[in-house]
Amino acid sequence: MDVVAFNDPEGRNADLIDGSIGEASMFHATFGYYAQGVSESTAVLPEGWKGRLIRFETPATNGVVAWCLEVHDLWISKAIANREKDIEFCQALLTAGIVDKTVLQSRLETVSELVAELRQVVGERIGGR
């Protein structure tokens, strides 16, 4: 899981997250999972993604609020990352019918500064290829 601290231009909070609950931390050893601290610029996301963030809060979070990417924005970001684990994740969301291909195509069109070859690859993934 990636965790971003907003308003952290130097990445200090991202480093703190990594050191506290990141891979190979005591937290990871104790609980068996970890989070990576990232900055807002780590992921390539469709235009308007901040307005689609989904608030997550339960009694178990003790007042802490998590803001999660909307699933289509997450899919686009993972498809652009183009790592094997992300490709598998994207395919699973398509297969399970969790994402809508029309919405994905629309979101892909709003991603700026994406090389044409990668845009084509992501577009083909949306089509299921």
Side-chain angles (χ1 to χ4, degrees):
M1 164 180 37
D2 293 340
V3 176
V4 65
F6 293 117
N7 302 318
D8 183 27
E10 280 90 41
R12 290 187 184 112
N13 290 330
D15 291 342
L16 182 61
I17 291 166
D18 260 351
S20 301
I21 61 174
E23 190 170 12
S25 67
M26 186 178 294
F27 179 92
H28 183 197
T30 303
F31 298 103
Y33 64 95
Y34 63 92
Q36 293 179 309
V38 297
S39 70
E40 284 187 62
S41 62
T42 301
V44 176
L45 289 158
E47 191 174 299
W49 65 271
K50 281 187 180 179
R52 293 185 292 271
L53 288 172
I54 297 169
R55 181 185 176 102
F56 179 80
E57 180 181 18
T58 71
T61 62
N62 294 321
V64 174
V65 175
W67 291 96
C68 305
L69 286 173
E70 189 275 336
V71 69
H72 295 88
D73 293 331
L74 176 63
W75 193 99
I76 291 293
S77 176
K78 293 294 187 183
I80 290 170
N82 206 29
R83 298 173 296 216
E84 186 61 35
K85 66 180 183 174
D86 296 321
I87 294 166
E88 291 173 10
F89 176 77
C90 290
Q91 185 58 49
L93 291 179
L94 281 167
T95 300
I98 294 171
V99 291
D100 179 271
K101 292 179 181 183
T102 304
V103 174
L104 291 174
Q105 189 60 48
S106 174
R107 298 274 171 88
L108 177 60
E109 291 170 10
T110 71
V111 177
S112 59
E113 301 180 28
L114 186 60
V115 296
E117 295 84 11
L118 185 52
R119 185 178 299 278
Q120 180 177 345
V121 167
V122 173
E124 289 173 358
R125 278 200 193 111
I126 291 170
R129 291 171 270 168

